[in-house]
Amino acid sequence: AVPAKETEKAQQQTKSPSSKPAPPTKNEEKSKAEKPDQKSTSGVTDPVGKTEKATVGKDRKAAVVKEEKKAEADSEDAIEKAEELPKPANGYINPNTKNWKRDMTTADPKLFDKLSEKRDGKLYRVMLDPFRYPTARCNDGTQGLFYYAPPTKAEGAPSKPDHYIVMLEGGGWCSDINGCKNRMRNQKMTSSKGDGSSRGMGGCMSTTDKRNPFLHAHKVYLRYCSSDGFSGNRDASDPISGGLHFRGNVITAAVIKELVRTFGLVSGDSLFLGGFSAGARGAMFNMDYAPQYLPPNVRVVGLLDSPFWLDIQPFSLPKSCAGVLKMANATGVVGEKCRSAFPKEEQWKCLLGQYRMHHLEHKYVIAAAQYDGFQMGVNNGGMKNLWKNLDDKVKLEVEKKAYREAFAKQTRDELRTLPLEAGSVFSTTCGNHVTSSGGGLWEIYIQNENTTKAWNLQELFGMARDDKFGVSVIADCPAGRECKGCWKKK
């Protein structure tokens, strides 16, 4: 029988990691002395030494490489084991959901196969992989995202769809820190939090309407959450940023890269990069830079719906553009042709449609209403200061009408200076802002005097799809809106 004291002592030595090991017994010392030395009698080192360690090291490295390849090839491993991938330097993880890895994400190697099965008329949310694109962030730091729908398999669809249409969401911008912090109150404009898993769309993004010229194309709708017109590249850590991220240009570039990496865009395909309002200006800024992310021989075309800001008082668009250029660090999208056309102190003109449209290197279709609802709204708002002492209501209306007609005339005159070989133009006498996001694409017509043909934007988009340009459809209504410059064909 073992004495109780010896048993207790042994248990204490086992439990306590800091306890000193018991001295070897005589039998252990004898056994150690009888073991052969690791050198043989000839004095040559035994293979159990350094050679064995090197072999084990190689095996371990091979195992690591095998595991990494497996993670890339296996969809489930790539998602569920994302925490094993290299982290961004700032350790950022997207907070959109409780578990972002369950979202549709570009980290999933089988993403395209999964999305190709979804043909229910909707576009589905896809998060940009925060490990591959750690700086593709919204103002609040959440990760950029887009919505995608595969080409339709309806009758007449090509066996291998080679058209990709990417439309950038609109929503204005902010040009100084105070304005941007006020804008942060609107989560939809500054964050990707709360975005639904899918959405339905109309017009040129419709997945079901046969009137859509791009019905058979891959469709991407890029959410706008950077407040910079998709132009910026500045981190929140920069003092000039006011603690906000301005990464619109980075997000746009990431999505174009994913068309190649994930969605099958190859040499010989066509990319139609467009947008609505601020999104159209973003496409105008980015379209000439797109080829650097694409394979050779990819046709790039701009579909620009309402980007045509005018340099007209009282709304200070020059000041606004200059503010975004500096605050968001938008110098990377001013375009080489435009940069060389203006001195440094006038580089802001490269963010204003009236000037930038003359320096685009790729063909386009531009839609610009002569009584554009956005610009008329902001300019009429600014005119209140000029009209506040005008008590005569009749004279006030006369002044307002004169201003509207001057604005419409300048729009017509500026659009007519765009060279026909550069693209096509569609300008109604409507008071709307954005036409192609809904039924206006095929419902709103222009028919000038002494002409029998009525045009809609749908036809110009279809021509651009087929690489046909050079059509300028500008409603000529010197007396105002009383003409067929904005009508719906029955």
Side-chain angles (χ1 to χ4, degrees):
V2 180
K5 288 185 178 181
E6 292 185 15
T7 303
E8 183 178 347
K9 184 177 180 181
Q11 290 176 345
Q12 288 177 352
Q13 289 176 348
T14 303
K15 291 180 180 180
S16 176
S18 60
S19 302
K20 294 182 180 180
T25 63
K26 290 183 178 181
N27 289 337
E28 288 174 340
E29 289 179 343
K30 182 179 179 181
S31 175
K32 184 176 180 180
E34 290 175 352
K35 286 184 179 180
D37 187 52
Q38 287 193 350
K39 289 186 178 181
S40 65
T41 54
S42 62
V44 179
T45 302
D46 191 87
V48 177
K50 293 182 180 180
T51 305
E52 182 180 76
K53 288 182 181 179
T55 303
V56 171
K58 289 181 180 179
D59 291 343
R60 192 169 295 166
K61 288 181 181 179
V64 171
V65 172
K66 184 178 180 181
E67 181 62 27
E68 289 177 348
K69 289 182 178 180
K70 183 175 182 295
E72 293 177 356
D74 188 334
S75 170
E76 295 303 319
D77 283 350
I79 296 174
E80 296 301 327
K81 295 184 179 181
E83 65 275 6
E84 296 177 6
L85 297 174
K87 300 291 188 295
N90 52 22
Y92 174 77
I93 294 293
N94 183 61
N96 286 42
T97 62
K98 291 181 179 179
N99 185 354
W100 73 270
K101 290 175 289 182
R102 293 179 182 174
D103 280 347
M104 289 280 192
T105 169
T106 57
D108 184 353
K110 293 188 177 180
L111 174 65
F112 181 57
D113 293 335
K114 292 177 180 178
L115 288 171
S116 296
E117 297 171 358
K118 295 183 179 294
R119 299 181 184 274
D120 54 2
K122 297 179 180 179
L123 288 84
Y124 281 82
R125 180 187 64 198
V126 179
M127 303 300 302
L128 287 168
D129 178 6
F131 303 109
R132 185 177 292 274
Y133 306 109
T135 61
R137 307 195 202 177
C138 303
N139 289 137
D140 67 344
T142 52
Q143 199 69 2
L145 64 87
F146 60 94
Y147 286 80
Y148 173 84
T152 178
K153 287 187 176 180
E155 183 179 352
S159 57
K160 196 281 178 187
D162 57 1
H163 290 166
Y164 293 75
I165 178 171
V166 179
M167 297 300 282
L168 281 55
E169 185 180 32
W173 67 15
C174 53
S175 57
D176 58 63
I177 297 304
N178 289 335
C180 292
K181 289 190 174 179
N182 287 332
R183 185 181 171 93
M184 289 296 291
R185 298 173 184 173
N186 188 333
Q187 179 175 287
K188 184 181 182 299
M189 290 184 172
T190 58
S191 174
S192 59
K193 287 181 180 178
D195 277 77
S197 60
S198 64
R199 65 190 302 160
M201 297 194 70
C204 64
M205 295 300 285
S206 173
T207 61
T208 57
D209 199 310
K210 293 182 179 180
R211 293 172 292 185
N212 179 11
F214 296 99
L215 181 64
H216 303 316
H218 297 262
K219 298 172 189 65
V220 173
Y221 184 62
L222 179 48
R223 272 276 285 111
Y224 182 32
C225 61
S226 57
S227 302
D228 56 4
F230 297 92
S231 69
N233 187 10
R234 191 179 294 283
D235 192 77
S237 62
D238 193 316
I240 198 174
S241 73
L244 304 177
H245 297 274
F246 296 99
R247 298 287 196 174
N249 173 234
V250 178
I251 294 172
T252 305
V255 171
I256 295 173
K257 291 175 184 177
E258 284 302 317
L259 295 180
V260 179
R261 196 182 76 88
T262 301
F263 295 96
L265 190 153
V266 296
S267 179
D269 289 348
S270 297
L271 170 62
F272 298 87
L273 182 61
F276 314 112
S277 186
R281 286 185 284 118
M284 179 179 70
F285 303 149
N286 286 279
M287 58 186 284
D288 287 340
Y289 291 95
Q292 65 183 296
Y293 310 118
L294 298 169
N297 302 317
V298 171
R299 184 167 64 109
V300 177
V301 176
L303 302 177
L304 312 177
D305 190 345
S306 306
F308 203 64
W309 276 7
L310 294 179
D311 185 0
I312 185 172
Q313 293 299 320
F315 187 53
S316 184
L317 287 173
K319 182 179 178 181
S320 177
C321 292
V324 171
L325 185 67
K326 181 179 180 180
M327 180 186 67
N329 187 28
T331 55
V333 297
V334 297
E336 294 308 313
K337 287 179 64 177
C338 193
R339 191 192 308 274
S340 61
F342 300 104
K344 186 176 181 180
E345 62 273 15
E346 293 185 3
Q347 296 285 294
W348 58 264
K349 290 184 176 181
C350 297
L351 300 187
L352 195 66
Q354 175 182 336
Y355 304 114
R356 181 61 177 273
M357 288 299 300
H358 290 276
H359 302 285
L360 294 180
E361 299 178 14
H362 291 81
K363 292 187 176 180
Y364 57 80
V365 177
I366 181 174
Q370 295 171 29
Y371 298 88
D372 182 276
F374 172 76
Q375 281 207 72
M376 293 302 297
V378 294
N379 279 297
N380 277 331
M383 290 296 284
K384 287 180 180 178
N385 291 328
L386 302 179
W387 295 330
K388 63 183 178 181
N389 296 322
L390 195 60
D391 296 327
D392 188 334
K393 292 185 178 180
V394 175
K395 189 174 181 180
L396 175 61
E397 290 306 314
V398 171
E399 291 290 330
K400 285 185 176 181
K401 184 176 180 179
Y403 181 80
R404 288 195 299 267
E405 299 311 324
F407 182 93
K409 182 179 185 303
Q410 184 172 341
T411 300
R412 290 194 298 272
D413 292 346
E414 291 289 346
L415 289 172
R416 288 192 177 110
T417 65
L418 297 177
L420 287 178
E421 63 271 17
S424 294
V425 178
F426 186 78
S427 178
T428 70
T429 53
C430 299
N432 64 310
H433 181 65
V434 175
T435 303
S436 62
S437 62
L441 179 63
W442 44 77
E443 292 175 352
I444 297 177
Y445 283 81
I446 298 173
Q447 184 174 351
N448 285 326
E449 292 181 349
N450 303 320
T451 60
T452 57
K453 181 172 177 57
W455 293 84
N456 61 12
L457 188 56
Q458 171 199 26
E459 189 166 0
L460 295 190
F461 273 20
M463 292 175 64
R465 177 200 61 201
D466 299 333
D467 203 19
K468 298 176 182 178
F469 299 90
V471 176
S472 182
V473 186
I474 300 175
D476 190 3
C477 304
R481 306 182 192 187
E482 298 174 0
C483 67
K484 284 191 173 182
C486 177
W487 64 288
K488 293 187 177 182
K489 193 174 184 179
K490 295 182 179 179

